[in-house]
Amino acid sequence: MPFINKVVLVVGGSSGIGAATAIKLCGEGARVAIVGRNKSKLKAVENQCEGILVINADVRHDEDIKKIVDTTVNHFGKLDVLINSVGVACFASITAENAMEEFDKTMAVNLRAAVYLSHLAIPHLIKTKGNIVNISSVASTAVFFENHFAYCTSKAGLDHFTRSIALELAPKGVRINIIIPGPVKTDYINGLISDIKEHEKFYKMLENRTALGKQSEANEIADLILYIASEKARSITGSSFVIDNGMLLKG
């Protein structure tokens, strides 16, 4: 098992890609900490992972971000991998009255939190020659919907942040990479579309926009995350990995 005795912090580990990743890591022998706001979802993941550390926190708050890293390191004694999988999406026009409110909220969660978490985690990762895996989106490269400027901007920033610190930290033996998913079938849609009856219609629309005519499952993204975070990928840093069923190909 490649993650035996490795300490992995999964931010956004209560559902979707993060939860699938945390569960797989536990199965590979990792010592895992998960972070989320929803206590019931955190509990559901905890029930599937023996010895997991659950941290209820909100990455919009600096004191919670500090708590996340401190609690993990104090509990396990070190940190080997940071996975930034938390994210929010919103639809707002640049001309809307709430444009800046939505922009600030999206940037705080999707970009600033990853920057601050990395800032606090890196001293520990230098000690372990560890790595960071950030989770972006095809929206960092292409614009698929109108009124999506905040989300697209946040993910494009996350991509370039990843490359920037990868160059800086390479001499210290710390790798930083980013994964760029296309549509993934998770409960993330609940925050975008409240009407459950509209979910299948939305899923079908997304599938039609991919070359392979389908969405990914969260476990598929988790498999890629585990590879990038493992010693098998020890020669990879500053790289972006697209897993989108050919969505960018189709345009």
Side-chain angles (χ1 to χ4, degrees):
M1 291 185 178
F3 288 95
I4 288 285
N5 294 324
K6 296 290 186 181
V7 175
V8 185
L9 171 57
V10 183
V11 185
S14 60
S15 63
I17 294 170
T21 302
I23 293 166
K24 281 184 177 287
L25 283 164
C26 288
E28 293 289 336
R31 293 184 286 170
V32 179
I34 58 170
V35 179
R37 289 188 297 166
N38 189 306
K39 291 183 179 179
S40 62
K41 289 183 177 180
L42 286 167
K43 185 64 177 177
V45 178
E46 182 182 18
N47 289 339
Q48 300 179 68
C49 299
E50 185 177 347
I52 199 169
L53 173 65
V54 173
I55 304 171
N56 183 223
D58 187 338
V59 297
R60 293 174 297 181
H61 306 307
D62 284 2
E63 60 270 24
D64 276 21
I65 290 177
K66 292 175 184 176
K67 179 181 79 171
I68 289 166
V69 177
D70 288 346
T71 301
T72 302
V73 174
N74 289 339
H75 183 83
F76 291 117
K78 64 170 184 170
L79 180 63
D80 294 285
V81 182
L82 168 63
I83 299 171
N84 286 312
S85 183
V86 68
V88 295
C90 72
F91 288 92
S93 167
I94 188 63
T95 62
E97 289 187 8
N98 67 338
M100 292 313 301
E101 177 186 346
E102 293 297 328
F103 179 77
D104 289 344
K105 179 179 71 176
T106 305
M107 294 295 282
V109 175
N110 294 359
L111 181 56
R112 190 182 187 280
V115 172
Y116 199 8
L117 284 160
S118 299
H119 168 70
L120 295 175
I122 282 167
H124 303 288
L125 295 174
I126 289 173
K127 293 177 183 177
T128 59
K129 303 297 183 185
N131 70 90
I132 298 173
V133 182
N134 291 321
I135 311 302
S136 181
S137 164
V138 288
S140 70
T141 302
V143 180
F144 294 99
F145 305 104
E146 293 182 3
N147 303 329
H148 212 206
F149 79 95
Y151 184 77
C152 292
T153 303
S154 69
K155 291 301 186 179
L158 185 62
D159 287 6
H160 214 44
F161 167 69
T162 300
R163 289 186 285 268
S164 298
I165 65 169
L167 178 62
E168 178 181 348
L169 294 170
K172 300 182 185 299
V174 177
R175 301 186 297 110
I176 325 284
N177 292 290
I178 195 155
I179 292 175
I180 302 177
V184 182
K185 200 161 188 176
T186 69
D187 60 5
Y188 187 68
I189 191 177
N190 296 339
L192 296 176
I193 302 174
S194 57
D195 186 352
I196 295 176
K197 296 177 182 177
E198 294 295 315
H199 286 189
E200 285 305 318
K201 186 187 297 184
F202 186 73
Y203 285 140
K204 190 64 179 176
M205 178 273 294
L206 290 176
E207 290 168 1
N208 289 338
R209 298 189 73 168
T210 69
L212 293 177
K214 69 179 188 68
Q215 295 185 75
S216 298
E217 298 292 336
N219 279 328
E220 296 178 66
I221 315 302
D223 286 337
L224 182 55
I225 293 171
L226 262 66
Y227 172 74
I228 298 303
S230 75
E231 281 299 304
K232 294 178 181 179
R234 59 188 174 273
S235 297
I236 301 173
T237 196
S239 294
S240 305
F241 295 85
V242 177
I243 176 168
D244 69 344
N245 293 296
M247 193 173 198
L248 290 175
L249 288 175
K250 198 163 183 182

